[in-house]
Protein backbone atom coordinates (compact mmCIF):
# COMPACT_ATOMS: atom_id res chain seq x y z
CA UNK A 1 0.00 0.00 0.00
CA UNK A 2 2.74 2.46 0.98
CA UNK A 3 4.86 1.78 -2.10
CA UNK A 4 1.84 2.11 -4.40
CA UNK A 5 0.76 5.43 -2.87
CA UNK A 6 4.27 6.89 -2.98
CA UNK A 7 4.52 5.89 -6.65
CA UNK A 8 1.22 7.65 -7.38
CA UNK A 9 2.43 10.83 -5.67
CA UNK A 10 5.72 10.79 -7.56
CA UNK A 11 3.98 10.41 -10.92
CA UNK A 12 1.39 13.08 -10.11
CA UNK A 13 4.01 15.65 -9.10
CA UNK A 14 6.76 14.76 -11.57
CA UNK A 15 9.13 13.50 -8.86
CA UNK A 16 11.85 11.02 -9.73
CA UNK A 17 10.93 7.42 -8.88
CA UNK A 18 12.13 6.36 -5.44
CA UNK A 19 12.64 9.87 -4.08
CA UNK A 20 9.66 9.92 -1.70
CA UNK A 21 9.50 7.92 1.48
CA UNK A 22 6.90 7.35 4.16
CA UNK A 23 5.49 5.21 6.94
CA UNK A 24 2.34 3.21 7.61
CA UNK A 25 0.60 1.96 10.75
CA UNK A 26 -2.60 -0.11 10.86
CA UNK A 27 -4.30 -1.02 14.14
CA UNK A 28 -7.56 -2.63 15.18
CA UNK A 29 -10.24 -0.22 16.34
CA UNK A 30 -11.38 -1.78 19.60
CA UNK A 31 -8.28 -3.57 20.85
CA UNK A 32 -5.63 -1.10 19.73
CA UNK A 33 -3.51 -3.96 18.41
CA UNK A 34 -0.94 -2.93 15.82
CA UNK A 35 -1.59 -5.17 12.83
CA UNK A 36 0.93 -3.67 10.44
CA UNK A 37 3.80 -1.23 10.79
CA UNK A 38 6.01 -0.10 7.91
CA UNK A 39 8.86 2.25 8.78
CA UNK A 40 10.26 2.89 5.31
CA UNK A 41 9.62 2.43 1.63
CA UNK A 42 12.24 -0.30 1.72
CA UNK A 43 10.64 -2.79 4.11
CA UNK A 44 13.95 -4.65 4.49
CA UNK A 45 15.80 -1.56 5.70
CA UNK A 46 16.80 -2.16 9.33
CA UNK A 47 17.69 1.41 10.19
CA UNK A 48 15.59 4.55 10.72
CA UNK A 49 11.94 3.68 11.44
CA UNK A 50 9.81 6.63 10.35
CA UNK A 51 6.64 5.19 11.87
CA UNK A 52 8.11 5.32 15.37
CA UNK A 53 10.65 8.13 15.33
CA UNK A 54 10.02 10.61 12.48
CA UNK A 55 8.92 13.81 14.23
CA UNK A 56 6.97 16.13 11.91
CA UNK A 57 4.50 18.97 12.41
CA UNK A 58 1.04 17.43 12.27
CA UNK A 59 -0.82 20.33 10.64
CA UNK A 60 -4.57 19.87 10.20
CA UNK A 61 -4.53 16.46 11.89
CA UNK A 62 -4.99 18.41 15.15
CA UNK A 63 -8.36 19.88 14.15
CA UNK A 64 -10.65 17.06 15.37
CA UNK A 65 -9.24 17.65 18.87
CA UNK A 66 -10.22 21.33 18.64
CA UNK A 67 -13.81 20.58 17.67
CA UNK A 68 -14.07 17.77 20.20
CA UNK A 69 -12.99 20.22 22.91
CA UNK A 70 -15.71 22.63 21.78
CA UNK A 71 -18.42 19.95 21.68
CA UNK A 72 -17.55 18.71 25.16
CA UNK A 73 -17.84 22.24 26.47
CA UNK A 74 -21.29 22.51 24.83
CA UNK A 75 -20.30 25.78 23.17
CA UNK A 76 -20.75 24.52 19.63
CA UNK A 77 -22.35 21.71 17.64
CA UNK A 78 -22.07 20.62 14.01
CA UNK A 79 -24.79 23.06 12.90
CA UNK A 80 -23.30 26.09 14.70
CA UNK A 81 -22.19 28.85 12.35
CA UNK A 82 -18.70 30.29 12.49
CA UNK A 83 -16.87 32.93 10.45
CA UNK A 84 -14.37 31.76 7.85
CA UNK A 85 -13.01 35.29 7.55
CA UNK A 86 -9.68 36.73 8.71
CA UNK A 87 -8.79 36.21 12.36
CA UNK A 88 -6.28 38.01 14.57
CA UNK A 89 -4.91 36.53 17.80
CA UNK A 90 -3.07 38.72 20.28
CA UNK A 91 0.11 37.01 21.46
CA UNK A 92 1.51 39.65 23.75
CA UNK A 93 2.61 43.26 23.85
CA UNK A 94 2.17 44.51 20.26
CA UNK A 95 2.46 40.98 18.91
CA UNK A 96 -0.31 39.47 16.82
CA UNK A 97 -0.85 36.29 14.85
CA UNK A 98 -2.98 36.40 11.71
CA UNK A 99 -3.34 32.88 10.27
CA UNK A 100 -5.16 32.45 6.97
CA UNK A 101 -6.82 29.71 4.97
CA UNK A 102 -4.65 27.65 2.64
CA UNK A 103 -6.55 28.90 -0.43
CA UNK A 104 -6.64 32.54 0.77
CA UNK A 105 -10.44 32.50 0.38
CA UNK A 106 -13.19 33.67 2.74
CA UNK A 107 -16.33 31.51 2.63
CA UNK A 108 -18.23 33.83 4.99
CA UNK A 109 -20.22 32.23 7.82
CA UNK A 110 -20.27 28.46 7.52
CA UNK A 111 -21.37 25.58 9.72
CA UNK A 112 -18.91 23.86 12.01
CA UNK A 113 -19.51 20.69 9.99
CA UNK A 114 -18.40 22.43 6.80
CA UNK A 115 -15.42 24.02 8.55
CA UNK A 116 -14.25 20.59 9.72
CA UNK A 117 -15.08 18.81 6.45
CA UNK A 118 -13.11 21.32 4.37
CA UNK A 119 -10.39 21.72 7.01
CA UNK A 120 -10.71 25.50 7.16
CA UNK A 121 -8.04 27.20 9.25
CA UNK A 122 -9.62 30.41 10.53
CA UNK A 123 -12.75 28.78 12.01
CA UNK A 124 -10.57 26.22 13.79
CA UNK A 125 -8.44 28.99 15.28
CA UNK A 126 -11.51 30.99 16.31
CA UNK A 127 -13.06 28.03 18.10
CA UNK A 128 -9.76 26.93 19.63
CA UNK A 129 -9.14 30.37 21.11
CA UNK A 130 -12.72 30.56 22.35
CA UNK A 131 -12.63 27.23 24.21
CA UNK A 132 -9.02 27.74 25.30
CA UNK A 133 -5.71 26.40 24.04
CA UNK A 134 -5.20 24.66 27.38
CA UNK A 135 -8.44 22.73 26.91
CA UNK A 136 -7.35 21.60 23.44
CA UNK A 137 -4.04 20.40 24.89
CA UNK A 138 -5.92 18.49 27.60
CA UNK A 139 -8.09 16.86 24.92
CA UNK A 140 -5.01 15.77 22.97
CA UNK A 141 -3.58 14.17 26.10
CA UNK A 142 -6.93 12.51 26.85
CA UNK A 143 -6.87 11.02 23.35
CA UNK A 144 -3.56 9.35 24.22
CA UNK A 145 -0.95 11.83 22.99
CA UNK A 146 1.95 11.55 25.43
CA UNK A 147 4.36 14.13 24.01
CA UNK A 148 4.69 17.49 25.75
CA UNK A 149 2.60 20.15 24.01
CA UNK A 150 3.30 23.87 24.54
CA UNK A 151 0.18 25.97 25.06
CA UNK A 152 0.75 28.31 22.12
CA UNK A 153 -2.03 29.41 19.74
CA UNK A 154 -0.02 28.03 16.80
CA UNK A 155 -0.76 24.47 17.94
CA UNK A 156 -4.32 25.08 16.71
CA UNK A 157 -2.93 24.72 13.19
CA UNK A 158 -0.77 21.76 14.07
CA UNK A 159 2.54 23.37 15.05
CA UNK A 160 3.28 20.27 17.13
CA UNK A 161 5.89 17.68 16.23
CA UNK A 162 4.75 14.09 16.57
CA UNK A 163 5.66 10.70 15.15
CA UNK A 164 3.12 8.70 13.13
CA UNK A 165 2.66 6.32 16.08
CA UNK A 166 1.49 9.28 18.21
CA UNK A 167 -1.07 10.30 15.58
CA UNK A 168 -2.24 6.70 15.26
CA UNK A 169 -2.88 6.60 19.02
CA UNK A 170 -4.89 9.83 18.86
CA UNK A 171 -7.12 8.68 16.00
CA UNK A 172 -7.36 5.20 17.50
CA UNK A 173 -9.19 6.70 20.48
CA UNK A 174 -11.50 8.71 18.23
CA UNK A 175 -12.27 5.65 16.08
CA UNK A 176 -13.09 3.63 19.21
CA UNK A 177 -15.71 6.15 20.26
CA UNK A 178 -13.55 7.70 22.97
CA UNK A 179 -12.29 4.49 24.58
CA UNK A 180 -8.54 4.89 25.01
CA UNK A 181 -6.51 1.70 24.62
CA UNK A 182 -2.72 2.06 24.46
CA UNK A 183 -1.42 0.67 21.18
CA UNK A 184 0.28 -2.68 21.59
CA UNK A 185 2.07 -5.14 19.34
CA UNK A 186 2.57 -8.08 21.72
CA UNK A 187 -0.19 -10.23 23.21
CA UNK A 188 2.00 -12.57 25.24
CA UNK A 189 5.53 -13.91 25.70
CA UNK A 190 6.15 -17.68 25.69
CA UNK A 191 9.13 -19.90 26.34
CA UNK A 192 10.48 -22.61 24.02
CA UNK A 193 7.86 -25.07 25.30
CA UNK A 194 5.01 -22.77 24.40
CA UNK A 195 4.24 -21.90 28.02
CA UNK A 196 3.02 -18.34 28.53
CA UNK A 197 5.41 -16.30 30.66
CA UNK A 198 3.67 -12.92 30.44
CA UNK A 199 0.38 -11.74 29.01
CA UNK A 200 -0.48 -8.22 27.89
CA UNK A 201 -4.25 -7.96 28.26
CA UNK A 202 -6.45 -5.26 26.80
CA UNK A 203 -6.21 -2.02 28.79
CA UNK A 204 -9.00 0.57 28.47
Amino acid sequence: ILQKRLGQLERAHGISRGKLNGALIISSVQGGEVQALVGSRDVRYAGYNRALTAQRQIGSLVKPAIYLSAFEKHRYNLSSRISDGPVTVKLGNRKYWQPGNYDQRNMGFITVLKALTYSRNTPAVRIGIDVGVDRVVNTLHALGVSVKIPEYPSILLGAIEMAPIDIQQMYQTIAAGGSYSPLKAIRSVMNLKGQVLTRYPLTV
Side-chain angles (χ1 to χ4, degrees):
I1 296 172
L2 178 63
Q3 292 175 342
K4 180 180 179 181
R5 181 59 178 151
L6 290 173
Q8 290 172 341
L9 289 171
E10 287 169 342
R11 289 190 296 273
H13 297 282
I15 301 172
S16 299
R17 188 175 184 276
K19 289 293 184 181
L20 292 182
N21 215 319
L24 173 70
I25 304 172
I26 299 174
S27 62
S28 63
V29 173
Q30 296 301 329
E33 293 185 338
V34 176
Q35 298 175 334
L37 188 147
V38 183
S40 172
R41 185 172 191 157
D42 181 1
V43 295
R44 294 177 179 81
Y45 180 64
Y48 187 64
N49 190 322
R50 289 168 175 79
L52 301 178
T53 57
Q55 300 284 327
R56 299 289 186 272
Q57 289 198 357
I58 68 172
S60 291
L61 293 176
V62 76
K63 288 174 182 173
I66 298 172
Y67 292 106
L68 180 57
S69 301
F71 297 157
E72 289 184 332
K73 200 174 180 181
H74 303 293
R75 294 288 294 273
Y76 300 87
N77 57 56
L78 289 174
S79 61
S80 300
R81 298 186 70 79
I82 187 78
S83 174
D84 186 53
V87 61
T88 300
V89 179
K90 187 174 183 180
L91 301 178
N93 188 25
R94 297 182 181 179
K95 291 184 178 180
Y96 298 90
W97 179 46
Q98 295 179 308
N101 290 312
Y102 59 90
D103 58 1
Q104 305 302 315
R105 291 177 56 222
N106 174 4
M107 299 175 70
F109 278 85
I110 58 177
T111 63
V112 167
L113 176 60
K114 189 169 185 178
L116 177 57
T117 302
Y118 289 94
S119 189
R120 305 299 290 174
N121 288 346
T122 56
V125 170
R126 274 194 171 82
I127 292 176
I129 293 297
D130 185 30
V131 301
V133 175
D134 58 335
R135 191 177 184 91
V136 175
V137 170
N138 290 338
T139 298
L140 286 165
H141 287 315
L143 289 170
V145 175
S146 59
V147 300
K148 187 176 180 180
I149 304 172
E151 294 183 6
Y152 299 137
S154 58
I155 72 162
L156 300 173
L157 291 184
I160 317 164
E161 290 191 347
M162 293 186 196
I165 190 74
D166 299 318
I167 297 298
Q168 183 76 2
Q169 181 67 80
M170 171 183 165
Y171 277 82
Q172 165 75 27
T173 307
I174 295 173
S179 296
Y180 165 63
S181 298
L183 293 175
K184 62 178 183 177
I186 302 173
R187 291 181 180 177
S188 60
V189 177
M190 297 180 290
N191 62 17
L192 292 175
K193 296 179 180 180
Q195 297 171 323
V196 176
L197 302 177
T198 307
R199 291 187 186 278
Y200 296 89
L202 175 65
T203 302
V204 179

